[in-house]
């Protein structure tokens, strides 16, 4: 099974602690992306497509080393201009068409291997929903009694709940007719998909963190220290 890894973030909130491309932020002497790719390999992913624009040359320089470290064949697709999370996927699907059901994930987010394995199982389109104590930094999920996605809610809702963990599974024909354009996964592609097809939410209660802020990067470096 293939994974498309979205590495296009500008990482503006991390500029105070690093000048590296966001996915390549060093953690204990290695790029954060290396850890994500190892998790994918352990889950059973057989190849990965890295989707990049901002400082894509840094990803290109490390591509061979990342592939060796994870034991995964890697392909780099570079956007000529920023296309957003949704556009990055559509662009990559044009360059490297899916041959079957596939995963999509943000390169700045860590989940346990079991989270990826859950997403690899079963048919259809799905989204990983993580249980967190404070939803305020994340987009929340509204689901029905059958575990199907009803709506993606904006950031800012406080309290514990289910959030979008930024890991998706799609069938090979889900976006086959979609025009390649700059767009957001959360604000455009997913709502458009939800209007025409069922999207299941796979609930996950394991470790979850995104490294988008200096505080969360520091927390990952300390609390997740033993993760190899």
């Amino acid at each position: 099974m293939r994974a498309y890894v979205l590495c296009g973030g500008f990482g503006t909130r991390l500029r105070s602690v690093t000048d590296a491309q966001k996915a390549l932020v060093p953690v204990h002497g290695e790029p954060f992306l290396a850890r994500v790719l190892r998790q994918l390999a352990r889950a059973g992913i057989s190849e990965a497509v890295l989707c990049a624009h901002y400082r894509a040359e840094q990803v290109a320089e490390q591509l061979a080393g990342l592939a060796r470290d994870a034991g995964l064949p890697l392909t780099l697709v570079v956007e000529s201009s920023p296309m957003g999370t949704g556009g990055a996927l559509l662009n990559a699907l044009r360059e490297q068409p899916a041959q079957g059901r596939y995963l999509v994930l943000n390169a700045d987010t860590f989940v346990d291997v079991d989270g990826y394995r859950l997403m690899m199982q079963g048919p259809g389109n799905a989204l990983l929903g993580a249980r967190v104590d404070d939803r305020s930094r994340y987009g929340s999920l509204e689901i029905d009694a059958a575990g199907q996605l009803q709506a993606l809610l904006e950031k800012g809702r406080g309290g514990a709940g289910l959030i979008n963990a930024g890991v998706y599974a799609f069938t090979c024909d889900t976006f086959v007719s979609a025009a390649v354009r700059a767009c957001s996964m959360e604000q455009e592609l997913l709502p458009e998909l939800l209007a025409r097809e069922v999207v299941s939410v796979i609930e996950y209660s394991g470790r979850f963190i995104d490294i988008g802020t200096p505080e969360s990067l520091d927390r990952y470096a300390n609390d997740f220290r033993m993760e190899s």
Side-chain angles (χ1 to χ4, degrees):
M1 190 175 192
R2 176 185 288 173
Y4 292 84
V5 185
L6 306 179
C7 305
F10 286 90
T12 52
R13 291 176 295 177
L14 292 176
R15 299 276 172 82
S16 63
V17 296
T18 181
D19 63 354
Q21 203 271 359
K22 189 176 182 182
L24 301 177
V25 170
V27 179
H28 302 305
E30 67 175 352
F32 179 79
L33 180 58
R35 296 178 168 219
V36 173
L37 294 173
R38 285 202 299 271
Q39 294 290 82
L40 291 173
R42 289 167 179 162
I45 289 294
S46 58
E47 61 177 325
V49 176
L50 307 184
C51 313
H53 168 70
Y54 179 69
R55 294 185 174 173
E57 73 284 353
Q58 294 184 3
V59 182
E61 289 168 1
Q62 298 195 39
L63 194 66
L66 290 166
R68 283 194 305 271
D69 177 77
L72 276 180
L74 300 179
T75 303
L76 176 62
V77 173
V78 179
E79 304 149 42
S80 57
S81 60
M83 300 191 70
T85 49
L89 174 61
L90 296 178
N91 181 65
L93 289 172
R94 178 181 60 186
E95 298 294 324
Q96 297 289 327
Q99 303 302 310
R101 191 167 179 267
Y102 57 92
L103 293 191
V104 180
L105 59 138
N106 296 320
D108 61 352
T109 301
F110 180 94
V111 302
D112 285 323
V113 171
D114 286 346
Y116 295 126
R117 286 179 178 153
L118 286 170
M119 293 297 289
M120 293 169 68
Q121 299 168 2
N125 302 307
L127 176 155
L128 190 67
R131 288 278 174 193
V132 298
D133 295 331
D134 180 10
R135 297 177 295 166
S136 59
R137 273 190 58 208
Y138 310 100
S140 300
L141 304 177
E142 181 180 315
I143 62 173
D144 63 17
Q148 295 177 355
L149 182 64
Q150 298 300 297
L152 293 152
L153 307 178
E154 293 292 330
K155 297 178 182 180
R157 295 171 184 261
L162 199 61
I163 64 155
N164 180 4
V167 182
Y168 314 95
F170 299 119
T171 66
C172 63
D173 57 353
T174 295
F175 297 116
V176 71
S177 299
V180 178
R181 67 194 194 278
C183 61
S184 163
M185 175 75 76
E186 298 81 5
Q187 297 177 12
E188 295 169 79
L189 271 196
L190 282 176
E192 290 169 7
L193 175 62
L194 195 58
R196 67 178 190 270
E197 294 187 34
V198 169
V199 177
S200 299
V201 174
I202 307 300
E203 293 200 32
Y204 164 76
S205 56
R207 294 184 300 173
F208 164 83
I209 193 168
D210 78 81
I211 60 160
T213 67
E215 294 78 16
S216 59
L217 175 61
D218 185 66
R219 181 180 158 229
Y220 176 82
N222 289 282
D223 296 356
F224 291 62
R225 188 177 182 87
M226 298 308 295
E227 185 63 45
S228 61

